[in-house]
Amino acid sequence: MFRYIAKRLLAGVITIWFIATATFFAMHAVPGDPLMNDRAVSDEVRRNLEARYGLDKPLGEQYIIFISNMLRGDFGISFTQQNRRVNDIIREHFPVSAILGILAIIIAALGGILWGALTALYRNRLPDILIMLLVILGISVPGFVFAATGQLALVHVNAIFGVKVLPVAGWGTFSHMLMPALVLGLGTMALLTRLMRTSMIDVMGEDYIRTAHAKGLSKQRIFLRHQLRNAILPVVTVLGPQISAITTGGFVVEYVFAIPGLGRYFVQAVQQLDYTVIMGTTVFYGAFLVLMVILVDILYGFIDPRVRVSA
Amino acid sequence: MNYRAHDLKREDFAPLEKSQLDEVVARPSLSYWQDAWRRFKQNTRAIISMYILIALAVFTLGGPLLWTVDASKQNLNQTSQPPGLAKHALVVSAFERWVLPTDPSRPEYGDLPPEELANPEGLRAAEAPNTQSVRITWRPVAEAGGYNIYRHTRPPTSLQDLGLPLGSIETGNVHGYEDRLNLKQEDYFYSVVTTDGFDEAETYATLQLRPQLAITREHALEQGLSEDPRAGDTVTLAFYPLGTDYLGRDMLARLMEGARVSLFIGVIAPLAFVIFGVAYGGFSGYIGGTIDNILMRLADFVVALPFLLFMILFKIAFGIGPGESGVIPMLVALVLLSWPATARLVRGQVLQIREQGYIDAARLMGASNHYLIARHILPNTMGVVLVTFTFAVPMAIFAEAFLSFIGMGVAPPTPSWGSMCNEGVKTMLSHPHELILPAALISITVLAFNLFGDGLTEALDARMRGRE
Amino acid sequence: MTDSILSVRDLAVEFDTFGGVVKAVRNVSFDLTAGQTLAIVGESGCGKSVTVQSLMGLIPMPPGRITHGRALFKDQDLLSIGARGIRGHHMGMIFQDPMTSLNPTMRIGDQIAETLVVHKQYSRKHAQDEAVSLLARTHIPEPGRRANQYPFEFSGGMLQRAMIAQALACEPAILIADEPTTALDVTIQAQILELMQTLQQDNGMSIILITHDLAVVARMADQVAVMYAGEIVETGSVEDIFYQPAHPYNQGLQQAMTSNQQPDRVLSPIPGSPPDLFSPPKGCGYCKRCPHAMSVCAEHPPYLTAVDASSHQSRCWLHHELAPVHNNPVRRP
C-alpha cells in the first residue's frame, strides 16, 4: 500500500511539474508581451516594470526563477492589481470555491447514489422512467445553463412570494450557497445516478446476491449489506474526474452568481491576460486536481478489500 | 393415467418415419453490422435521436440556403426582439429636436419650499407617442423650480417606489419632456414630480402611454422596406422569426452559423482524435513490449492533465489574431488533450483480440500482419471506436460551449452556440430568448448524441447477440 | 411415504422472454426421503436448476412465474410467500461457481455468521465463533485467520468449503447442491463430495444434488430423477437408473458413458439437441432423438408409468400395453 501511494505521489509530482512548465512556456509563447496591453508607457517606466516582473532576464533564467519561487510557494504579484500578491488572492478566494465545491460534490454523490439505487429497484417502472428522463436531461444540459436557469428561477420565486426566499447572487451565508452548489452538482449527480443504476443492476444479477436470497435474508438486509456497498465501488472510481469537472464547473457558477471564489478570479485573469495570476492559479488548480485524483484512488483502495489487501 | 382414456390403436405404435420430423433452421444468418442495425431499429429512443441528428444536419447545412439573412447584419431599430411574426411600423420623418414648451410669463425659479409645491396637472402626450420619441407636457406649476420625470413599466405605488428619475428639468417654466431612451411598444407609466430646483414635492402625477412602433423614413429606405415611404405610412419591418440579439442581429441566421461552428468543432475534433487514438493505441497494442510501455506512460500522463484548464492554457498560448475566429486553435487543443482515452481503449481491445483463437488460426494459415490487422483486428475494434466517437461529440460540444461561455472560445463576431449563450446570459432577465435558444440547441444536440450512443452501445454489444 | 421430508407435486415454472413464454419446468413431482440423497440429472437447460431454485424462492419474478404446484416441507408449502424463514435455516443451498457466489467485499466469517444472526438470533460474537468452528468442520486450515479473509484470498475448493459451511450454519434438514463440483478441479471435486457425505452422516440431513455428471450421481445418490426438456422422464433408485434404465433417454445416457464393466465398448452419443421450450412439442419431448419413436410419441405426451414394483417409474409410451413387444428395449417379456 505504501509503495503504491509513493508511486502515485511521485507520478503526481511529475505531472504538476509538467503543468507548471507548460503554463510558463504557454504564457511566454503568447504573441506580444504582457505589458503591451497597458497604456502607452514611456521607455523608462517600461524598463522599470520589466525589471519588477523579471521580464528583462533571458527566458531560461526566468524559468528557473519561476520554478524556484513556485517551490517556495511564491506565485508573484498580479499584473492588473499591482499591489496584490497571487498567494493572497489564492488564500483569500480559494476557500470560497472549496466550500462551494465540497457542498456540490456532497449533493451530487448523495443524490446520485440515492436516485441510482432507487431507479434500479424500480427498474422499468414509473419512478425509474421519470428519474432517468431527468438524468438524460441533466447529462445533456451544459452547466452554465443550469446556473442561469437556477438564478432565473430564484428571481421568479422571490417575485412570486414577495420575499427573499434565497438570495439571487452573492456570498456569505448558507442560503447564498444552496442554489449555486445545487446547480454545480446537478450534472455530476445525473452522471452518478446513471452509473449507480447500471452498477446496481449489475450487482443485482450477481451470483452472491442469489446466495444472499438463498440464505433467507430479508430484502432490506440484502439491499443494505450486500447490494449497496458493491454497487457504490464503481461510482467511487469516477469521483476523481468528477471533482475536476465540478472545479472547472465552479468557474461558470461563480461567474453567474457573482461569488468571490478563485474560479471567478481565474476567469477574470484569463480575460484580462493577467499573466502571473493565470500562471499561479493554473499551477495551483493543476496541483489540487492531481492530488484529488490520487486521494480518491487511495480512498477507493480502502473501500475495496481486493485493492486494499493486494496493493 | 388419463391417457388410457384415449382410444389409442395399435397403429399409433408403429415406428415413426424420421424424415417427418426434420426441422429447418428458420433464423436467417445476419452479419455483425446487419444484426446491429436490426437491434438498433428496435430502439425507439435511438431512432428518434437519429432523426434529430439528421434534422440538425439539415438545419446546419441546408438551412442557410433557405434562410439567406446575413447573420452579422445589425438592425439597431429592432434589438433584442423576442421571437414572433413580422411587425408593422409607422413611418415617421427624421428626428427633429422638439423645442420644449415654455411659459415665459412664469419665473424660472419659484420661491415655495418643496413641501408646498402643487402637483403638475393636465399631464398628457403632446403628440401621438411612437418608439422614436415620446413627448409629454403638463400645465406649469406655480412657483416651481423644476420637474423630475420618471418612467416605469408598472404603475408606481408611492413616492418611494419611483426610484431614480429618467430625466430632470431644471427650470420651473418649462413644462414638457421628450423621451427617446430605448423605447419599446409596451405600456409605460410616466410620472412627473415638481421640484424647487433641487428637492422634490410630496406628490406626483402619472400618465399611462403606449408608444406605437415607428421607423424613420431614412431607416425604412435604407433597409428597403418600401420604395417611397412617407411619414404616416405603415411598413412591414424585417422579419425575425426567432427574434434578434442585443445588436439586432437575426437569431435564426446566427443559430445556423453558430451550428456550423459548434458542430464543426463537435464533430471534426472527435473524428481527428479518435482516428489518432485508434492509430496510436492499435500500434502500441500490436507492437507490445517496451515501446508499448513507453507509449502508454505518455498516454497516462496526458490523461492526468486537467482537461479544461489546459484547454484554456492552449487557447491563451495560441493567441487569436485580428480577424481570426479561434476555431482552429480550439480544434488543435481538443485533439492534443483528448486522444489518450481512445488510444487506451483500442490498445486494450487489440491486446484482447490478439490473444483470441481465431487470430492464431489465421496466422497458422499464413496470414500476414497487414492482413491480420486489416481483416481481423481493426474490424473487431470498430464497434467500440464508433461508440467512443458518439460519446466524444457531446464532450467536444460541451468543451466549446464552456470555453466560449467564459469568453475563451471563438472570437466575436463569429457566433457559436456557446458564445451566443455567453452574450445571452447578460440579458437573461429581460430577454431570455437570447440564452434559451442556443442553450436549447446545445442540449438537444448533446441529448441526441447521447441517446444515439446508448442505442449504438446496446446494438453493438456482442453479449446481446442471440439472447432473444 | 411416511419418511418423506420434502414432497414436490406438479411443479410448473414459466419465464417470459423476448421470444415468448418458456415453459422451463412442467409437472415435476418427486419426494425426498429423510437422510437420503436425491440426484436430479439432466443436460443443460433441462430445468433441473429451475426446479430447485423455485423451492428456494430464487426464481426472479418477473420474468419467472410458478404457474402450478406445491412443495411441502413439514406441512408448509415452500412455494407460498411465508416460506422465507425456512430458507437458509432449514434448507441450505450451495452453488456451482463458488468464486462468484460469495460477496467479494465481505469477510468470509461475516457471511457465515450473518445466517446465524438472522435465523438464530445469535449475538455477533457468538455467531463469529460459530462461523470459525464451521470452517473447521469443513476442514479449512487455520479457520480463525481464514474467517477474517475475503473471498478473493481463497482458492476455488476452499471457497466451496466455505459455501458449505455457510449453507450448513443453521444445521438445515435439507441441503440443496446445484452442480457443486462442476467448476472445480477433479481432485478438489472428490474432496468436496467426500466432505458432503461426511457432513450428511453427521447431521442426518437430506441432500438434493443437481448435476449432469453421472459419475457424481453414482457415487452420491440414493434416489435419482432424470430430467429432460422440463420434465422428469425417469425416476428410481440409483441401481434402477444405472442398471435397468427404462427410458430411451436414460438408456442413451448410459450408452454415452464409460463403464468399468465393459472397458472396450464404443461410446455412442445421443444425436440431435433438446426441443425448443418456447413451444414444447405436442407429444414426447424426446421423440425427435429417440431411436424407438412411434406415431403416438409425436402426438400425445407420455405419462409416468411404474416400471416394476419398486419406486422405479418412466415416462415413455414403450411401456404402454399396446406398444410392440418385438424389439422393445424397455419391456421385458
Side-chain angles (χ1 to χ4, degrees), chain A residues 23-34:
Chain A
T23 315
F24 177 83
F25 286 104
M27 288 303 113
H28 286 82
V30 178
D33 72 76

Side-chain angles (χ1 to χ4, degrees), chain B residues 269-283:
Chain B
L271 202 64
F273 71 67
V274 164
I275 289 175
F276 180 74
V278 169
Y280 189 97
F283 176 76

Side-chain angles (χ1 to χ4, degrees), chain B residues 224-300:
Chain B
L225 301 176
S226 167
E227 295 280 303
D228 177 28
R230 284 155 197 273
D233 285 357
T234 306
V235 292
T236 307
L237 291 179
F239 175 43
Y240 300 112
L242 294 182
T244 56
D245 71 355
Y246 70 110
L247 288 176
R249 294 175 291 194
D250 180 44
M251 282 296 277
L252 179 58
R254 274 177 76 72
L255 284 172
M256 282 175 185
E257 200 175 322
R260 279 206 293 285
V261 174
S262 289
L263 291 182
F264 179 75
I265 293 172
V267 173
I268 298 298
L271 202 64
F273 71 67
V274 164
I275 289 175
F276 180 74
V278 169
Y280 189 97
F283 176 76
S284 181
Y286 194 80
I287 290 284
T290 323
I291 295 177
D292 174 44
N293 226 325
I294 295 171
L295 288 178
M296 279 305 120
R297 281 288 149 281
L298 184 65
D300 286 348

Side-chain angles (χ1 to χ4, degrees), chain A residues 29 143 191 215-216 287 307 311:
Chain A
L191 204 92
K215 279 157 83 175
V307 179

Side-chain angles (χ1 to χ4, degrees), chain A residues 15 18-19 23 26-27 30 136 139-142 144-145 148 151-152 194 248 252 255 266 270-271 282 285-286 289, chain B residues 301 306 308-310 312-313 316-317 398 401-402 405-406 408 421-422 428-429 435 439 442-443 446-447 450 454:
Chain A
T15 312
F18 179 81
I19 292 171
T23 315
M27 288 303 113
V30 178
I136 203 88
I139 292 173
S140 305
V141 174
F144 57 79
V145 176
Q151 199 180 35
L152 204 60
R194 192 163 134 139
T248 37
V252 165
Y255 171 72
F266 179 66
V270 162
Q271 285 165 353
T282 305
Y285 267 127
L289 294 179
Chain B
F301 182 68
L308 284 171
L309 223 53
F310 262 72
I312 294 171
L313 214 59
I316 299 173
F398 266 7
F402 172 83
F405 186 79
I406 64 167
M408 271 287 106
C421 284
N422 176 30
M428 166 178 91
L429 292 178
L435 172 66
I442 295 176
S443 305
V446 170
L447 182 78
N450 275 333
D454 282 347

Side-chain angles (χ1 to χ4, degrees), chain C residues 252-259 262-269:
Chain C
L253 287 181
Q254 305 301 332
Q255 293 296 314
M257 198 171 62
T258 53
S259 150
Q262 303 157 274
D264 300 329
R265 183 169 57 84
V266 175
L267 301 181
S268 52

